[in-house]
Amino acid sequence: MKRKFDDLLQTRKLLLKITTNLTNEQLNKIPESFNNNIAWNMAHLVVTQQLLCYRNSGLKCLVSEEMIEKYQKGTAPNGTITAEEFEEIKELLLKLPVKLEDDYEVGVFQNYKTYLTSIGVTLNTIDDAVQFNMYHEGIHLGVILQLLKFI
């Protein structure tokens, strides 16, 4: 599992690297034929990892309910993410994978509730959730790379 946690953190670092020079306007721009933006995608990754791993384990998420409501599956950008909010998102992108690994290593994830993803994959354990989260992160990395071409 150590490799999966390392991969998650490296993916997040790549996201921050490729978006580091973007303005807040660029981060929030929704190009024609898209229904979201870079800032929303990055916040969505933070929230989804929390829901897949913590909430499905019966644990309290490490982000606010307000953040979950704004960026969970089925949502879309609803207003501009401010520069201050995006700074928090960036911090969470790096901090939460480390916390996830720490919590995993000390055995926090004991009671995973089976979860059927929107693509029909059944997650039965925290290991399944961490693995599926990486797949999900890859999808959104691809979306962000596409968005970069249109901003």
Side-chain angles (χ1 to χ4, degrees):
M1 281 298 287
K2 175 79 172 135
R3 174 67 188 261
K4 290 183 176 88
F5 294 119
D6 290 343
D7 290 350
L8 176 57
L9 188 56
Q10 291 309 312
T11 301
R12 300 255 177 114
K13 286 179 179 179
L14 174 62
L15 281 171
L16 293 174
K17 181 180 178 183
I18 64 176
T19 60
T20 193
N21 293 321
L22 299 178
T23 66
N24 202 55
E25 181 180 336
Q26 290 171 313
L27 291 166
N28 282 282
K29 181 179 172 119
I30 303 174
E32 189 175 324
S33 82
F34 285 86
N35 61 2
N36 55 44
N37 56 41
I38 292 170
W40 180 90
N41 274 276
M42 292 172 77
H44 174 71
L45 291 176
V46 168
V47 166
T48 299
Q49 180 252 318
Q50 288 292 295
L51 295 175
L52 287 173
C53 297
Y54 286 84
R55 184 167 284 170
N56 288 351
S57 294
L59 301 170
K60 185 176 181 332
C61 291
L62 305 175
V63 298
S64 70
E65 283 300 315
E66 177 187 359
M67 187 173 193
I68 291 169
E69 289 174 23
K70 286 174 73 173
Y71 305 114
Q72 68 186 331
K73 177 178 67 177
T75 66
N78 185 14
T80 299
I81 295 175
T82 67
E84 294 78 22
E85 290 170 315
F86 194 68
E87 285 302 314
E88 179 187 1
I89 291 163
K90 291 188 324 188
E91 182 180 314
L92 292 169
L93 278 166
L94 293 179
K95 182 175 88 172
L96 292 177
V98 174
K99 178 68 172 147
L100 175 64
E101 182 177 13
D102 290 346
D103 286 347
Y104 180 89
E105 288 177 359
V106 297
V108 168
F109 303 102
Q110 293 295 315
N111 300 307
Y112 197 84
K113 179 183 169 194
T114 298
Y115 176 72
L116 180 64
T117 70
S118 58
I119 64 164
V121 174
T122 301
L123 308 179
N124 294 303
T125 66
I126 186 61
D127 290 17
D128 293 347
V130 170
Q131 178 64 42
F132 184 80
N133 186 66
M134 284 304 305
Y135 162 80
H136 179 260
E137 299 255 341
I139 289 172
H140 286 276
L141 171 59
V143 170
I144 291 168
L145 290 170
Q146 283 301 112
L147 285 162
L148 284 169
K149 294 177 180 180
F150 294 97
I151 60 165

